[in-house]
Amino acid sequence: MMNDFWDPILLSIKIASLASILVMVIGTLVGNYMAKRVFKGKMLIETILILPLVLPPSVIGFILIIIFGINSPIGQAIESIFNSTIIFTWWAGVIAAIVVSFPLMYQVTKAGFEHVDSNIQEAARVDGANEMAVFLRITLPLTMNYIITGFVLSFTRALGEFGATLMFAGNIPGKTQTVSTAIYVAIDSGNLGLAWLWVLSIICVSFSLLFFVQLINRKEKY
Protein backbone atom coordinates (compact mmCIF):
# COMPACT_ATOMS: atom_id res chain seq x y z
CA MET A 1 0.00 0.00 0.00
CA MET A 2 2.78 2.43 0.90
CA ASN A 3 4.59 1.59 -2.34
CA ASP A 4 1.40 2.35 -4.25
CA PHE A 5 1.38 5.78 -2.59
CA TRP A 6 5.09 6.69 -2.88
CA ASP A 7 5.89 5.27 -6.33
CA PRO A 8 4.03 7.99 -8.31
CA ILE A 9 5.48 10.73 -6.10
CA LEU A 10 9.07 9.50 -6.43
CA LEU A 11 8.69 8.98 -10.17
CA SER A 12 7.21 12.46 -10.59
CA ILE A 13 10.09 14.00 -8.66
CA LYS A 14 12.64 12.02 -10.70
CA ILE A 15 11.06 13.06 -13.99
CA ALA A 16 10.64 16.70 -12.94
CA SER A 17 14.21 16.90 -11.58
CA LEU A 18 15.87 15.53 -14.71
CA ALA A 19 13.64 17.53 -17.03
CA SER A 20 14.22 20.75 -15.07
CA ILE A 21 17.99 20.35 -15.03
CA LEU A 22 18.04 19.85 -18.80
CA VAL A 23 15.61 22.72 -19.31
CA MET A 24 17.70 24.98 -17.07
CA VAL A 25 20.84 24.36 -19.13
CA ILE A 26 19.15 24.65 -22.52
CA GLY A 27 16.88 27.53 -21.50
CA THR A 28 19.78 29.51 -20.04
CA LEU A 29 21.90 29.13 -23.16
CA VAL A 30 19.03 29.89 -25.54
CA GLY A 31 17.79 32.78 -23.39
CA ASN A 32 21.26 34.33 -23.32
CA TYR A 33 21.62 33.97 -27.07
CA MET A 34 18.20 35.46 -27.86
CA ALA A 35 18.22 38.23 -25.24
CA LYS A 36 20.14 40.99 -27.00
CA ARG A 37 20.41 39.74 -30.56
CA VAL A 38 18.34 41.04 -33.43
CA PHE A 39 18.12 38.94 -36.58
CA LYS A 40 15.66 38.05 -39.29
CA GLY A 41 13.15 35.48 -38.18
CA LYS A 42 13.72 36.03 -34.44
CA MET A 43 10.02 36.64 -33.75
CA LEU A 44 9.09 33.42 -35.54
CA ILE A 45 11.65 31.38 -33.58
CA GLU A 46 10.53 32.87 -30.25
CA THR A 47 6.91 32.11 -31.09
CA ILE A 48 7.83 28.47 -31.72
CA LEU A 49 9.83 28.28 -28.47
CA ILE A 50 6.92 29.47 -26.31
CA LEU A 51 4.16 27.75 -28.32
CA PRO A 52 3.87 24.74 -25.93
CA LEU A 53 2.73 27.22 -23.28
CA VAL A 54 -0.61 27.70 -25.06
CA LEU A 55 -1.07 24.41 -26.92
CA PRO A 56 -3.49 21.84 -25.44
CA PRO A 57 -1.59 19.00 -23.73
CA SER A 58 -3.27 16.50 -26.03
CA VAL A 59 -1.79 18.30 -29.04
CA ILE A 60 1.69 18.19 -27.50
CA GLY A 61 1.27 14.51 -26.71
CA PHE A 62 0.10 13.79 -30.25
CA ILE A 63 3.07 15.65 -31.78
CA LEU A 64 5.51 13.78 -29.53
CA ILE A 65 3.99 10.45 -30.57
CA ILE A 66 4.41 11.42 -34.22
CA ILE A 67 8.02 12.56 -33.69
CA PHE A 68 9.15 9.61 -31.57
CA GLY A 69 6.80 6.94 -32.88
CA ILE A 70 8.03 3.80 -34.57
CA ASN A 71 7.11 5.16 -38.01
CA SER A 72 9.31 8.25 -37.64
CA PRO A 73 13.07 8.36 -38.41
CA ILE A 74 13.81 9.40 -34.81
CA GLY A 75 11.68 6.60 -33.39
CA GLN A 76 13.27 4.03 -35.68
CA ALA A 77 16.77 5.25 -34.75
CA ILE A 78 15.97 4.97 -31.03
CA GLU A 79 14.58 1.46 -31.45
CA SER A 80 17.59 0.31 -33.47
CA ILE A 81 20.02 1.66 -30.84
CA PHE A 82 18.20 0.63 -27.67
CA ASN A 83 16.09 -2.20 -29.09
CA SER A 84 13.04 -0.55 -27.57
CA THR A 85 10.69 2.31 -28.29
CA ILE A 86 10.72 5.36 -26.02
CA ILE A 87 6.92 5.60 -25.91
CA PHE A 88 5.35 4.29 -22.68
CA THR A 89 8.61 4.64 -20.73
CA TRP A 90 9.50 7.12 -18.00
CA TRP A 91 11.88 8.76 -20.48
CA ALA A 92 8.81 9.71 -22.48
CA GLY A 93 7.60 11.47 -19.33
CA VAL A 94 10.89 13.37 -19.17
CA ILE A 95 10.56 14.50 -22.79
CA ALA A 96 6.96 15.61 -22.26
CA ALA A 97 8.00 17.52 -19.13
CA ILE A 98 10.84 19.22 -21.00
CA VAL A 99 8.55 20.39 -23.78
CA VAL A 100 5.87 21.86 -21.52
CA SER A 101 8.27 23.47 -19.01
CA PHE A 102 10.86 24.91 -21.40
CA PRO A 103 8.85 28.06 -22.33
CA LEU A 104 8.76 29.14 -18.66
CA MET A 105 12.52 28.73 -18.24
CA TYR A 106 13.22 30.47 -21.52
CA GLN A 107 11.03 33.48 -20.83
CA VAL A 108 12.36 34.03 -17.31
CA THR A 109 16.04 33.67 -18.20
CA LYS A 110 15.66 35.79 -21.33
CA ALA A 111 14.16 38.56 -19.20
CA GLY A 112 17.08 38.23 -16.79
CA PHE A 113 19.70 38.50 -19.52
CA GLU A 114 17.92 41.52 -20.99
CA HIS A 115 18.23 43.32 -17.65
CA VAL A 116 22.00 42.84 -17.40
CA ASP A 117 23.81 46.16 -17.82
CA SER A 118 25.75 45.89 -21.07
CA ASN A 119 28.22 48.51 -19.80
CA ILE A 120 29.44 46.06 -17.15
CA GLN A 121 29.94 43.37 -19.77
CA GLU A 122 31.75 45.78 -22.06
CA ALA A 123 34.03 46.89 -19.23
CA ALA A 124 35.03 43.26 -18.65
CA ARG A 125 35.81 42.85 -22.35
CA VAL A 126 37.96 45.98 -22.30
CA ASP A 127 39.88 44.49 -19.37
CA GLY A 128 40.69 41.49 -21.55
CA ALA A 129 37.98 38.97 -20.67
CA ASN A 130 36.82 36.72 -23.50
CA GLU A 131 33.14 35.99 -24.17
CA MET A 132 33.16 32.80 -22.08
CA ALA A 133 34.68 34.62 -19.11
CA VAL A 134 32.19 37.47 -19.44
CA PHE A 135 29.31 34.99 -19.46
CA LEU A 136 30.55 32.90 -16.54
CA ARG A 137 31.86 35.69 -14.30
CA ILE A 138 29.59 38.62 -15.13
CA THR A 139 26.40 37.69 -16.94
CA LEU A 140 25.59 34.43 -15.18
CA PRO A 141 25.97 35.71 -11.58
CA LEU A 142 23.84 38.76 -12.38
CA THR A 143 21.02 36.57 -13.68
CA MET A 144 21.26 33.81 -11.08
CA ASN A 145 18.00 34.78 -9.33
CA TYR A 146 16.19 34.62 -12.67
CA ILE A 147 17.71 31.21 -13.39
CA ILE A 148 16.67 29.87 -9.98
CA THR A 149 13.17 31.24 -10.47
CA GLY A 150 12.96 29.68 -13.92
CA PHE A 151 14.19 26.35 -12.58
CA VAL A 152 11.57 26.27 -9.82
CA LEU A 153 8.76 27.25 -12.19
CA SER A 154 9.92 24.60 -14.67
CA PHE A 155 10.15 21.99 -11.92
CA THR A 156 6.66 22.67 -10.59
CA ARG A 157 5.26 22.69 -14.12
CA ALA A 158 6.97 19.40 -14.92
CA LEU A 159 5.83 17.94 -11.60
CA GLY A 160 2.19 18.60 -12.42
CA GLU A 161 2.27 17.64 -16.11
CA PHE A 162 -0.67 15.41 -17.02
CA GLY A 163 -2.08 15.48 -20.55
CA ALA A 164 1.02 15.10 -22.70
CA THR A 165 2.50 12.60 -20.24
CA LEU A 166 -0.66 10.48 -20.26
CA MET A 167 -0.66 10.29 -24.05
CA PHE A 168 3.08 9.86 -24.59
CA ALA A 169 4.23 7.91 -21.52
CA GLY A 170 0.98 6.25 -20.55
CA ASN A 171 -0.19 5.37 -17.06
CA ILE A 172 1.57 2.15 -16.11
CA PRO A 173 1.68 1.71 -12.29
CA GLY A 174 5.24 1.46 -11.03
CA LYS A 175 6.65 2.38 -14.43
CA THR A 176 5.17 5.55 -15.91
CA GLN A 177 2.41 6.50 -13.48
CA THR A 178 3.06 10.00 -12.15
CA VAL A 179 1.18 11.77 -9.38
CA SER A 180 -1.07 13.60 -11.83
CA THR A 181 -2.16 10.44 -13.62
CA ALA A 182 -2.43 8.58 -10.30
CA ILE A 183 -4.80 11.26 -8.99
CA TYR A 184 -6.92 10.92 -12.12
CA VAL A 185 -7.15 7.13 -11.70
CA ALA A 186 -7.88 7.43 -7.95
CA ILE A 187 -10.75 9.85 -8.57
CA ASP A 188 -12.09 7.75 -11.42
CA SER A 189 -12.10 4.67 -9.18
CA GLY A 190 -13.73 6.52 -6.29
CA ASN A 191 -10.67 6.41 -3.99
CA LEU A 192 -10.94 10.04 -2.87
CA GLY A 193 -8.86 9.49 0.27
CA LEU A 194 -5.80 8.44 -1.70
CA ALA A 195 -6.43 11.18 -4.25
CA TRP A 196 -6.47 13.78 -1.46
CA LEU A 197 -3.15 12.52 -0.08
CA TRP A 198 -1.49 12.90 -3.48
CA VAL A 199 -3.07 16.30 -4.04
CA LEU A 200 -1.89 17.59 -0.68
CA SER A 201 1.62 16.21 -1.19
CA ILE A 202 2.01 18.00 -4.52
CA ILE A 203 0.54 21.20 -3.13
CA CYS A 204 3.06 21.11 -0.26
CA VAL A 205 6.03 20.55 -2.57
CA SER A 206 4.96 23.23 -5.04
CA PHE A 207 4.08 25.73 -2.32
CA SER A 208 7.43 25.22 -0.58
CA LEU A 209 9.40 25.77 -3.76
CA LEU A 210 7.44 28.85 -4.80
CA PHE A 211 7.74 30.29 -1.29
CA PHE A 212 11.51 29.75 -1.48
CA VAL A 213 11.65 31.71 -4.72
CA GLN A 214 9.64 34.53 -3.17
CA LEU A 215 12.13 34.72 -0.30
CA ILE A 216 15.07 34.91 -2.69
CA ASN A 217 13.46 37.66 -4.76
CA ARG A 218 12.52 39.60 -1.65
CA LYS A 219 16.09 39.48 -0.31
CA GLU A 220 17.35 40.68 -3.68
CA LYS A 221 15.06 43.72 -3.56
CA TYR A 222 16.07 44.69 -0.03
Side-chain angles (χ1 to χ4, degrees):
M1 181 64 182
M2 290 303 296
N3 287 339
D4 292 340
F5 173 75
W6 285 109
D7 282 349
I9 294 177
L10 295 177
L11 181 61
S12 294
I13 292 175
K14 181 169 73 170
I15 289 175
S17 298
L18 181 55
S20 300
I21 290 172
L22 294 174
V23 163
M24 179 179 64
V25 174
I26 299 171
T28 298
L29 295 176
V30 176
N32 178 58
Y33 182 83
M34 299 288 286
K36 296 184 179 180
R37 286 176 173 81
V38 179
F39 55 88
K40 188 176 181 180
K42 179 180 178 180
M43 186 177 298
L44 175 62
I45 293 174
E46 286 197 300
T47 302
I48 294 173
L49 291 176
I50 64 176
L51 187 60
L53 205 59
V54 297
L55 285 177
S58 57
V59 173
I60 297 174
F62 175 78
I63 293 173
L64 290 175
I65 291 174
I66 296 299
I67 293 174
F68 293 95
I70 191 59
N71 293 323
S72 73
I74 295 177
Q76 291 173 357
I78 292 174
E79 187 174 32
S80 64
I81 295 173
F82 299 102
N83 197 30
S84 175
T85 179
I86 198 170
I87 299 178
F88 301 130
T89 66
W90 73 276
W91 281 104
V94 173
I95 294 174
I98 289 173
V99 172
V100 300
S101 62
F102 175 82
L104 293 172
M105 187 73 201
Y106 168 72
Q107 287 187 304
V108 173
T109 53
K110 178 173 173 284
F113 289 122
E114 287 176 340
H115 281 82
V116 174
D117 190 347
S118 58
N119 292 325
I120 300 177
Q121 296 170 315
E122 191 58 37
R125 295 187 183 99
V126 171
D127 289 338
N130 56 33
E131 290 302 317
M132 181 62 70
V134 171
F135 177 73
L136 294 177
R137 299 181 181 181
I138 304 296
T139 308
L140 205 58
L142 290 176
T143 56
M144 190 53 63
N145 280 354
Y146 288 88
I147 293 172
I148 294 174
T149 299
F151 176 82
V152 171
L153 291 177
S154 299
F155 181 88
T156 53
R157 178 65 183 88
L159 191 67
E161 165 54 28
F162 173 72
T165 300
L166 182 62
M167 288 188 64
F168 189 40
N171 182 38
I172 306 171
K175 185 178 180 182
T176 65
Q177 187 178 66
T178 61
V179 173
S180 297
T181 56
I183 291 172
Y184 172 79
V185 172
I187 294 175
D188 190 55
S189 62
N191 195 344
L192 295 183
L194 186 58
W196 266 114
L197 289 175
W198 278 322
V199 167
L200 292 175
S201 65
I202 292 303
I203 289 176
C204 288
V205 172
S206 300
F207 179 87
S208 300
L209 291 172
L210 292 176
F211 189 76
F212 172 70
V213 167
Q214 295 289 344
L215 286 177
I216 292 178
N217 291 334
R218 184 176 181 180
K219 288 181 180 178
E220 180 67 18
K221 290 180 181 179
Y222 297 101

